[in-house]
Amino acid sequence: MKEQLELLWELQKIDLELRGIKEERDRYPKEMKKLDEKQKLEKEKMQKEKEKIELLEKERRQKEGHLSSEQDRIKKTEGRMFEVKTNKEYQALLTEIETIKETTSRTEEEILQVLDEIDELKKSLAKREKEVAVTLGKIESERKAIEERMAKGEVSWQKQLERRETLSKQLESHLFKLYNTLKEKRQGVGVVSVKRETCQGCFVNIPPQMYIEVQKNRTLVRCPNCNRILYWEEDGRKK
Ligand SMILES: [Zn+2]
C-alpha cells in the first residue's frame, strides 16, 4: 500500500504540474497581446510628439515665407521712394514702410517663439526616445522570457505525460479510478498531504487516531471532510 500511495502522490504532483503548464499555455496569448499593445502605445506616443514637431516646422516655414515677402515689400517700397515727386507721397511711403517693418518684427518674434518651442519639444523627444528604448527593451525581454518559459513547459509537458502513463500502469486500477474521480470532483486534487493534523486540501482537522494512521502510509485513509486520499510526507525526503 505504501508504494501505491507514493505512486498516487507522485501522480498528483504530475497532474498539478500539467495543470500549471496548461494554465500558462492559456495565459500566453493574452500576455503576448498585452505586450504588443504596450509596445504599440509607446510607439504611438512617440509618433504624436514627432508629428507635433513637424507641424511646428511647417508653421516656421510659413512664417519665414511671410517674412521674406514682407522684406521684399519693404525693398520695393523703398525703391519707389526715388520715383515720388511730392513730399506727401514720400511721407506716405515712409509710413507704409514703417507699418510693414512693424509686421516684420512681429513675424520675426513669432518665428523665434516657434523655434523655441521646437527646441523644447526636440529636447523632450530625445529624452523620451531614450525612455521608450528602455521600455521597448524591457518588453522584448519579457517576451523572450515568456517564450522560453513556454518552450520549457512544452518539454516538461511531454515528459510528465510519459511519466503519468507509466505511473498509471503501476497503480492498481481501482486506486487509479478513485483518484481520477476525486480529482474531477475536487478541483483537480485527489491526493493531499496532512500537516499538523490538518488536511491540506480542505484545511479541516482530522481525528487523532486517523492522524496516526495516515503517518504510517500503510492504509488508504480519506479525509472525513473532503473525501480526498490523505498522504503523509515524510520529513527529510521532501523539502
Ligand atoms: Zn480534507
Side-chain angles (χ1 to χ4, degrees):
M1 195 61 204
K2 191 169 187 224
E3 194 200 281
Q4 287 289 304
L5 282 171
E6 275 166 7
L7 289 175
L8 271 176
W9 183 241
E10 199 186 335
L11 184 64
Q12 178 66 74
K13 280 199 278 195
I14 288 172
D15 279 342
L16 285 177
E17 192 161 330
L18 286 172
R19 184 166 81 176
I21 295 170
K22 195 186 168 299
E23 279 167 358
E24 185 138 329
R25 214 186 255 166
D26 294 343
R27 257 197 325 264
Y28 175 73
K30 273 181 231 146
E31 277 181 40
M32 281 299 191
K33 204 174 153 216
K34 244 203 258 166
L35 288 180
D36 282 345
E37 273 162 15
K38 222 164 134 191
Q39 195 172 32
K40 206 175 129 208
L41 212 73
E42 290 292 333
K43 284 182 179 165
E44 271 171 8
K45 267 195 250 162
M46 288 281 299
Q47 193 50 37
K48 270 193 195 137
E49 285 184 39
K50 277 183 192 159
E51 277 164 17
K52 219 160 138 194
I53 291 175
E54 272 166 31
L55 222 68
L56 283 171
E57 292 279 11
K58 202 174 148 195
E59 199 183 323
R60 179 184 62 95
R61 283 194 299 273
Q62 268 173 358
K63 285 191 191 296
E64 278 169 353
H66 290 162
L67 185 65
S68 93
S69 66
E70 281 157 11
Q71 281 161 343
D72 277 352
R73 263 182 71 203
I74 291 176
K75 263 186 216 144
K76 268 182 206 151
T77 317
E78 277 169 348
R80 271 161 60 205
M81 289 180 100
F82 300 103
E83 298 156 14
V84 296
K85 292 178 183 79
T86 66
N87 191 40
K88 205 179 160 195
E89 281 175 311
Y90 187 77
Q91 285 303 326
L93 285 181
L94 271 186
T95 314
E96 198 185 328
I97 290 170
E98 221 30 64
T99 314
I100 304 170
K101 275 187 176 166
E102 271 168 30
T103 318
T104 312
S105 80
R106 253 203 318 272
T107 311
E108 277 170 343
E109 214 158 287
E110 281 168 12
I111 290 173
L112 282 178
Q113 266 172 14
V114 174
L115 280 176
D116 272 352
E117 221 176 311
I118 290 174
D119 232 37
E120 279 305 308
L121 280 176
K122 277 187 175 166
K123 267 188 221 155
S124 87
L125 181 69
K127 212 176 128 201
R128 273 207 53 76
E129 263 172 338
K130 274 184 202 154
E131 288 166 1
V132 169
V134 172
T135 311
L136 290 183
K138 271 188 201 154
I139 291 175
E140 209 40 59
S141 44
E142 265 181 72
R143 207 193 296 277
K144 278 216 183 89
I146 294 175
E147 275 165 3
E148 273 168 29
R149 230 165 50 222
M150 282 309 296
K152 263 188 206 158
E154 289 312 310
V155 173
S156 160
W157 175 269
Q158 210 43 49
K159 250 174 36 195
Q160 301 290 13
L161 269 192
E162 280 160 26
R163 181 77 187 126
R164 189 179 200 280
E165 182 75 19
T166 318
L167 278 180
S168 57
K169 277 177 196 150
Q170 289 171 286
L171 269 168
E172 285 167 25
S173 73
H174 74 279
L175 276 178
F176 187 54
K177 257 186 222 153
L178 175 65
Y179 166 75
N180 281 323
T181 313
L182 284 172
K183 198 181 78 166
E184 215 168 285
K185 285 187 183 158
R186 296 277 178 264
Q187 295 87 42
V189 183
V191 187
V192 287
S193 66
V194 179
K195 275 171 194 155
R196 279 171 244 102
E197 294 182 50
T198 310
C199 161
Q200 296 301 295
C202 65
F203 299 100
V204 165
N205 270 29
I206 57 169
Q209 188 54 41
M210 193 179 258
Y211 186 52
I212 292 164
E213 269 317 296
V214 170
Q215 289 180 59
K216 291 179 190 158
N217 266 347
R218 250 187 258 135
T219 43
L220 186 77
V221 184
R222 290 168 66 180
C223 170
N225 182 56
C226 71
N227 261 333
R228 290 181 175 106
I229 300 163
L230 298 177
Y231 180 77
W232 178 252
E233 252 188 312
E234 280 168 49
D235 280 340
R237 284 192 45 199
K238 297 274 164 251
K239 43 190 165 153

